[in-house]
Amino acid sequence: VQLQASGGGLVHAGGSLTLSCAVSGPSISRYAVAWFRQAPGKEREFVGGISRSGGSTDYANSVKGRFTISRDSTRKNVYLQMNSLKPEDTAVYYCASKQTILSVNFIYTDTNDYNTWGQGTLVTVSS
């Protein structure tokens, strides 16, 4: 499977932005997808994820209530709706996928769980 993230940009604090992750390749229905981010000088961290089934989502505490992850019916696009953005949300955002066989409702939050990554899209939130 291949991933391509898009939608980043510059936004003022309090604003909103929607990131998209285009998923392509065979058997995309077998994959869980997550968003991670990496700020300058920091480690890559989990932001939010959606299970293979689409029935479960999970978020980092820092974005709960502000970010929403969703997927379209074709499973070819995964979105990250980001509201009430803060300067500390500034980072390069990556989407990642993991093929799951049995754990169709589980959300993986560790970077090491994911073996396919998109190229990243930069989000800059100005104060």
Side-chain angles (χ1 to χ4, degrees), residues 33-108:
V33 177
W35 288 94
F36 289 78
R37 67 186 181 186
Q38 188 166 19
K42 295 189 176 181
E43 293 187 353
R44 193 169 298 188
E45 65 176 1
F46 173 78
V47 175
I50 186 166
S51 64
R52 166 183 164 177
S53 70
S56 299
T57 56
D58 194 16
Y59 302 91
N61 288 333
S62 58
V63 306
K64 276 183 181 176
R66 300 189 297 122
F67 290 13
T68 303
I69 190 169
S70 63
R71 186 177 65 191
D72 68 12
S73 59
T74 67
R75 295 175 177 258
K76 292 182 179 181
N77 295 284
V78 177
Y79 304 101
L80 184 68
Q81 173 68 43
M82 305 185 293
N83 298 325
S84 302
L85 283 161
K86 305 175 181 180
E88 49 264 42
D89 294 318
T90 295
V92 177
Y93 284 71
Y94 300 88
C95 55
S97 67
K98 173 183 172 57
Q99 184 173 357
T100 62
I101 304 300
L102 297 177
S103 303
V104 296
N105 292 313
F106 190 76
I107 308 295
Y108 298 85

